[in-house]
Amino acid sequence: MSSYDVVVIGGGIVGAACAAELAGRGRRVALVERGRVASGTSAHCEGNLLVSDKGPGAELELSKLANAAWSKLSGSFREELGDDFPDIEFEAKGGLVVATTDGGASALLDFAATQRTADVAAEPVTISEARRLEPWLTDRMTAAVWYPGDSQVQPTIATEALVALAHLRGASILEHHEVTGALRDGGRLVGVRTTAGDVHGRDVVVAAGPWSGEVSALLGAPLPVRPRRGVVLVTAKMPQRVFHKVYDADYVGAVGSGDVALMTSSVVESTPGGTVLIGSSREQVGFDDAFRANVLSELARKAISIFPFLTETAIIRSYSGFRPYMPDHLPLIGADPRLPGLWHATGHEGAGIGLSLPTATLIGDLMDGAPTQIDATQFAPSRPTLAAELEAVA
């Protein structure tokens, strides 16, 4: 019988970050993954570390902590893992948000003004200044805002690095352990049943991304986490023509929308390997991963509206993934008042890569009973904005 201080469910980047953080604080940790680590959502996304898409509020506060945490990790992870570990490709490249209509320009500039009240560097730039940053931009641009705080990381390698850090710090990595139910002692959760045997732990953290709704239901405390599908296009390699993270002003509205129908906006960026990634789409179709040509054509059309040179560029592949959507658009971080011993670190939707590190720090501080860097009640399962949703899934 395996027994630990903490069982973390989910081998994506949020679970890996929690396992590394808690093991680093001296806890005996098991990271439980139903397949292979870094094989789900964290391997099917772009690796965005953004402040530019969030208005003032709790998630923006967490994002500001995230940028500092990733910058620190990028300079220190090899101190533990050694120089032979692959680079996580952290790039503090900055982001440029552009509008191509008068209405879009007004909305973009107004949104940037609200962000500046929250101490975000959101700098309106002239069309000529924008073109100096991105010479290949469309002539139809009507406004642009520069965000020096936007960054990028290679999400799969970053996840693998956090798993390796967790293991080096003493965590057990239990792959091919699918959770099938709860272990209880009286009214307290004391571990999980899995397809490979029981795993006991004083505390259990659900960090299963878009599958967190299913996992939490198996444990007896359902969550309103739903999958939201996103698709990314990948171009052939080319000489670099995109130098920052560039997206159209529609992206912010798509991030904050609860619409279940297909929504697309243009997000374009280069990779160190010479390809260009083109997103983004959002649709609630359950876990249906069927190929949809209309989604790809919409992504291509909107990307061309920002960078016309892409008309002549070959697309070599596409990939899709599922993001953990929460109805109130806030991550779920903290102890579940319905079931002692149960914790949550999920619901980040498309921001999970960036927010993984401060989420893990919050979980660690809360478990330690220590002061948190920001107000953790904003993300608590007991927050008022979730009351009706929790009642609906109970």
Side-chain angles (χ1 to χ4, degrees):
M1 179 181 69
S2 303
S3 184
Y4 300 89
D5 295 325
V6 185
V7 178
V8 179
I9 304 172
I13 198 162
V14 175
C18 289
E21 177 73 21
L22 294 169
R25 293 177 183 233
R27 285 180 169 79
R28 292 173 296 118
V29 176
L31 180 62
V32 174
E33 164 58 41
R34 67 177 182 178
R36 298 294 302 273
V37 297
S39 63
T41 296
S42 298
H44 297 84
C45 59
E46 295 174 271
N48 291 331
L49 314 177
L50 302 183
V51 294
S52 54
D53 62 341
K54 300 169 184 69
E59 192 175 22
L60 181 57
E61 292 179 45
L62 202 61
S63 296
K64 289 159 69 176
L65 295 178
N67 275 3
W70 277 107
S71 181
K72 179 180 178 181
L73 181 69
S74 70
S76 66
F77 77 99
R78 284 204 175 96
E79 294 174 8
E80 290 185 71
L81 298 183
D83 291 337
D84 291 336
F85 198 91
D87 187 19
I88 63 174
E89 298 179 12
F90 173 77
E91 295 181 89
K93 60 171 65 174
L96 186 68
V97 186
V98 301
T100 57
T101 65
D102 291 339
S106 177
L108 170 59
L109 296 174
D110 288 347
F111 182 72
T114 68
Q115 291 177 297
R116 289 193 293 275
T117 68
D119 296 323
V120 172
E123 306 165 7
V125 294
T126 65
I127 302 303
S128 61
E129 288 170 336
R131 200 171 300 286
R132 280 196 291 273
L133 290 167
E134 294 290 344
W136 296 86
L137 276 170
T138 177
D139 292 333
R140 296 174 54 244
M141 183 172 34
T142 56
V145 176
W146 168 242
Y147 289 89
D150 280 356
S151 303
Q152 175 78 17
V153 74
Q154 210 294 332
T156 305
I157 300 174
T159 303
E160 291 171 344
L162 289 168
V163 171
L165 286 172
H167 182 64
L168 192 64
R169 294 169 183 175
S172 296
I173 312 302
L174 307 180
E175 296 181 311
H176 306 294
H177 282 60
E178 183 172 359
V179 173
T180 59
L183 296 174
R184 297 197 185 206
D185 183 2
R188 181 180 176 82
L189 184 65
V190 293
V192 295
R193 298 192 183 281
T194 82
T195 51
D198 294 349
V199 185
H200 291 251
R202 188 175 65 240
D203 291 295
V204 175
V205 180
V206 174
W211 296 274
S212 295
E214 297 178 1
V215 172
S216 62
L218 288 171
L219 301 181
L223 295 177
V225 181
R226 299 194 294 271
R228 203 178 192 191
R229 188 184 187 219
V231 177
V232 175
L233 304 180
V234 185
T235 73
K237 291 184 179 181
M238 67 180 77
Q240 189 171 11
R241 293 182 179 178
V242 182
F243 300 93
H244 306 89
K245 189 177 295 292
V246 183
Y247 60 87
D248 70 50
D250 289 340
Y251 181 76
V252 173
V255 169
S257 171
D259 197 333
V260 300
L262 173 65
M263 302 184 69
T264 60
S265 55
S266 183
V267 183
V268 185
E269 62 192 306
S270 294
T271 70
T275 61
V276 171
L277 303 181
I278 299 171
S280 72
S281 67
R282 284 172 164 78
E283 57 182 333
Q284 292 187 38
V285 291
F287 286 104
D288 180 3
D289 200 23
F291 177 84
R292 292 177 175 83
N294 67 306
V295 178
L296 274 59
S297 63
E298 274 294 294
L299 290 177
R301 182 183 66 81
K302 290 195 172 182
I304 289 168
S305 73
I306 300 297
F307 286 107
F309 79 86
L310 290 170
T311 304
E312 307 299 326
T313 302
I315 299 295
I316 59 172
R317 67 185 179 95
S318 68
Y319 60 89
S320 64
F322 298 99
R323 297 26 169 161
Y325 169 83
M326 286 291 291
D328 65 352
H329 303 290
L330 279 179
L332 196 64
I333 306 169
D336 194 317
R338 300 169 297 175
L339 181 57
L342 177 61
W343 297 73
H344 300 295
T346 188
H348 302 79
E349 201 179 332
I353 302 298
L355 299 183
S356 57
L357 297 183
T359 292
T361 300
L362 272 182
I363 289 288
D365 288 342
L366 290 168
M367 282 191 177
D368 285 348
T372 55
Q373 292 174 287
I374 58 176
D375 179 10
T377 63
Q378 303 171 102
F379 310 103
S382 58
R383 62 186 186 250
T385 54
L386 277 188
E389 297 286 346
L390 288 175
E391 184 177 341
V393 297

